[in-house]
Amino acid sequence: MSRKVIDYLEQLLLVFGIFIAFLLLFESKLVVPLWLQPLGRMHPLLLHFPIVMLLIAFGMEFFRFNPPNSSHSFYLLFLRNLWLIGAVLTGTTVVMGLFLAKEQGYDGQTLPWHKWTGVVVFYVALAGYWVRQQAWYQAAIAKGFVSIAALILVITGHFGAVLTHGDNFISGPLQTPESVPFDEAVVFDHVIQPIFEQKCVSCHNPDKIKGELMLTDQQSILKGGKTGKLFVPGQPQVSLLLQRIHLPLDDKKHMPPVGKVQLNPQEIMLLSLWIKANADFKKKVADLPVNDSLRLIAATLLAPVSAPQETFDFAAADEETIKKLTTEFRSIAPLAHESPALSVNFFNKNLYNPEKIKELAEIKKQVVFLNLAKMPVKDADLGQVVAFENLQKLNLNFTDITGKGLKELTSLKKLKNLSLAGTQISIKDLQAVIPSFQNLNTVAIWNTGLTPSEMQQLKKEFKNINFIEGFKDDGSNPIKLNPPQVKNSAMVFENSLAVLLSHPVKGVQIRYTTDGTEPDSIHSPLFTNQTVINNSTHIRAKAYKDGWYGSDVINFDFLKRTYKPDSVRLLLPLNRVHQAEGEKSFFDTKLGTFNANSPAWANNWTGVRNNDMALISEFKKPALVSSVELRIMEEVETGIFPPEKIEVWGGTNPAQLRLIATFKPSIPTQQRPHLLTTVGGKFKPQSVTFLKIVAKPLQKIPDWHGAKGRTALLLVDELLIN
């Protein structure tokens, strides 16, 4: 470097020495203006340069007085320049760090240690630069000086890493995780808290309280942060924790932030299931129902129970085979860590058929628990079930089996637990088959139509069997009904639709309304599965039964469309996070949901933010179009708004389309509950062969919103023509 540059840097080094002393002296009165905060946030960006430069300089200084180096002019010149630049950059980094420390979210014992060791490093570098030119500064002093300086620099970096990444960041991979036996494991302590520690605590700990949120203990988790409670027990779909996790990666509120290790699907599912189970901090994993999803997933993460376990005389199934047999309608998991025994759960009744059971022949020896609850299983299907020779638990709740089919199961010599709730069995059926089971000890018979006296008769006759009768509805202990369920395979129709609602509890009345009001138990129409609708209809339904509290109101949107185009083509790209099935998504009758843990959230929403949502559709035969509507999600809190404008273009030539209609949906003027709705409208009938629809995202979120000025996200799952 030229002498002029060196003089300038030396003066700057002295200025930093005075300025940093001033900042430390008046630190309690220091207020960093907004325009200067970005400078403070550059601290993590710059700090690596002085660390590397000073460490190299300290290393070269250690060997400076060796004969070959002490007479080497380039070595000495390079070392001096490196030391000077490193010291100046250290001063810059310290100033930035002092500015950054004034922002909210940094607290605890680690910050002062990082701050003061960083200041010491700077002044050591400053003093070292000057004293190293003195005559009394010889080899022994130099080696001792730079050794201590390097040690302080490493300690400073360590405290910085703790602030940024959390405690034990370096040694964490070398530590063996605590192996907790299944029967001792607490759901929160041993399943949920490890997720927080691995993915969240680095930014939400006593030393770095981002968003005024700590995730290190129960009290802090329940308290929540600056934006409110972290979760609503029993309602993961409206819990802030899950909403932030499922935000698009490019959203600044997405958690963990971009650049941090993201949660995997299993971790997200565990958090959702824990909140759905009311976020209990004390419950043990072993206390959850045997077929509970949270228990099944947790079992794969925990050590086997500490008590002696049943040993199996069969080997574990091949992992690739298990992976191949695990599908969107069937899950397969070990009963416990390192156990060869498998649990198989079926779901999605629309995809079930007996062949799906037969497909499991490759693991028939390993299956000890089979869950077929709510599947359309017939008596004939049980012939496939008996192939599982080591089956111990079988769940046939709410299936179509009868007493005749039970005879097939008597060949299962190891069956211990049989669930028959909600099936068409009688006391005679049970009396005929129970003696043939060699190891049966538990039978679930609630909601089967057996009278209380028949249940008592079974208990007296088979004293070695535990009969589970379920909830006794005597009116003295009312509980709340769960909401009605829709049984229609699709909620988008073309001509008319017979609405099918159901409830798993017998004797329940379903009351409903179509005018937007809340259904009551007296005046609202009684649903009889004979309701046929011919137009788009919003149904609000509620379940009632004597001796029970009424359910929450549930909303169902049944949407009519007259036309489905023969082909659809997107003109502009979709958001990379919300691709769904591309152009096919707009006419596939698959509706999205609010529930971020449902596949319908990720798979059914198409979205745009940085460009318009534009598509063109073609009809082989001209269509008389009179209305266009888009079904959208509005979730103001997370920046999901209705479109700013919708344009409908039509004609017979795709290159010469004319503007048919323009719609400007209502934009929210304040925070309000999220909703699923349709936007668009009617217009004068037009005969078209090609129809282009352009929906423009809201370009500037209103000033009352926390993300004011940003472009809103637009989510669409279905397009309705006429």
Side-chain angles (χ1 to χ4, degrees), residues 66-112:
N66 289 3
N69 300 328
S70 60
S71 59
H72 198 297
S73 58
F74 177 79
Y75 186 98
L76 298 176
L77 181 63
F78 181 82
L79 173 57
R80 184 194 66 180
N81 293 341
L82 188 65
W83 191 301
L84 177 59
I85 296 172
V88 170
L89 288 177
T90 302
T92 308
T93 304
V94 170
V95 171
M96 291 176 173
L98 292 174
F99 287 170
L100 181 61
K102 300 302 292 184
E103 293 192 28
Q104 292 184 350
Y106 292 93
D107 205 346
Q109 298 178 352
T110 304
L111 178 63

Side-chain angles (χ1 to χ4, degrees), residues 56-335:
I56 295 175
F58 293 160
M60 293 180 67
E61 188 75 16
F62 191 89
F63 298 102
R64 168 188 165 187
F65 291 94
N66 289 3
N69 300 328
S70 60
S71 59
H72 198 297
S73 58
F74 177 79
Y75 186 98
L76 298 176
L77 181 63
F78 181 82
L79 173 57
R80 184 194 66 180
N81 293 341
L82 188 65
W83 191 301
L84 177 59
I85 296 172
V88 170
L89 288 177
T90 302
T92 308
T93 304
V94 170
V95 171
M96 291 176 173
L98 292 174
F99 287 170
L100 181 61
K102 300 302 292 184
E103 293 192 28
Q104 292 184 350
Y106 292 93
D107 205 346
Q109 298 178 352
T110 304
L111 178 63
W113 281 103
H114 180 59
K115 177 181 73 176
W116 287 109
T117 52
V119 169
V120 169
V121 168
F122 167 69
Y123 282 110
V124 165
L126 182 149
Y129 177 74
W130 298 109
V131 303
R132 63 186 298 276
Q133 303 175 36
Q134 304 301 314
W136 52 266
Y137 184 83
Q138 296 299 317
I141 297 175
K143 291 181 179 181
F145 181 80
V146 296
S147 296
I148 295 173
L151 178 62
I152 298 173
L153 179 58
V154 170
I155 293 173
T156 303
H158 167 71
F159 287 129
V162 170
L163 272 176
T164 305
H165 303 289
D167 201 9
N168 297 325
F169 173 68
I170 296 175
S171 61
L174 304 177
Q175 297 176 353
T176 303
E178 180 186 4
S179 182
V180 182
F182 178 84
D183 57 340
E184 296 178 9
V186 176
V187 175
F188 175 76
D189 294 343
H190 303 114
V191 179
I192 301 303
Q193 185 63 14
I195 299 175
F196 288 150
E197 290 175 353
Q198 294 170 19
K199 303 295 174 70
C200 311
V201 166
S202 62
C203 290
H204 301 286
N205 60 73
D207 295 317
K208 189 178 181 183
I209 315 175
K210 286 292 186 181
E212 301 176 17
L213 172 66
M214 278 203 304
L215 295 174
T216 53
D217 58 86
Q218 176 181 342
Q219 184 178 358
S220 300
I221 291 171
L222 289 173
K223 179 183 176 182
K226 181 171 63 177
T227 52
K229 298 289 186 181
L230 195 61
F231 54 79
V232 179
Q235 301 184 57
Q237 69 274 15
V238 298
S239 293
L240 183 63
L241 174 64
L242 272 302
Q243 290 178 350
R244 291 293 176 86
I245 290 172
H246 285 283
L247 284 175
L249 278 172
D250 58 358
D251 193 300
K252 69 177 183 179
K253 292 184 178 181
H254 172 83
M255 291 296 158
V258 174
K260 296 283 187 179
V261 180
Q262 299 297 304
L263 278 77
N264 60 46
Q266 184 184 70
E267 291 169 335
I268 297 173
M269 180 61 72
L270 284 168
L271 291 174
S272 175
L273 291 171
W274 176 65
I275 294 173
K276 188 176 181 180
N278 292 318
D280 194 309
F281 284 83
K282 303 298 182 184
K283 179 168 286 189
K284 288 187 174 183
V285 176
D287 293 337
L288 297 169
V290 174
N291 61 345
D292 183 87
S293 298
L294 179 53
R295 173 180 173 139
L296 292 172
I297 299 175
T300 66
L301 307 175
L302 301 169
V305 296
S306 56
Q309 294 186 52
E310 179 180 3
T311 57
F312 299 95
D313 59 0
F314 50 80
D318 179 67
E319 290 187 9
E320 288 300 318
T321 301
I322 295 176
K323 185 177 180 180
K324 177 186 68 175
L325 295 173
T326 300
T327 67
E328 69 274 12
F329 57 81
R330 181 176 59 211
S331 67
I332 304 173
L335 276 189

Side-chain angles (χ1 to χ4, degrees), residues 446-457:
W446 52 274
N447 212 20
T448 57
L450 291 173
T451 65
S453 61
E454 289 176 332
M455 291 183 183
Q456 292 303 315
Q457 183 179 342

Side-chain angles (χ1 to χ4, degrees), residues 563-580:
Y563 293 115
K564 179 180 179 181
D566 295 293
S567 65
V568 183
R569 179 167 55 91
L570 278 166
L571 302 177
L572 294 171
L574 297 171
N575 182 302
R576 66 183 180 88
V577 178
H578 299 97
Q579 294 279 328

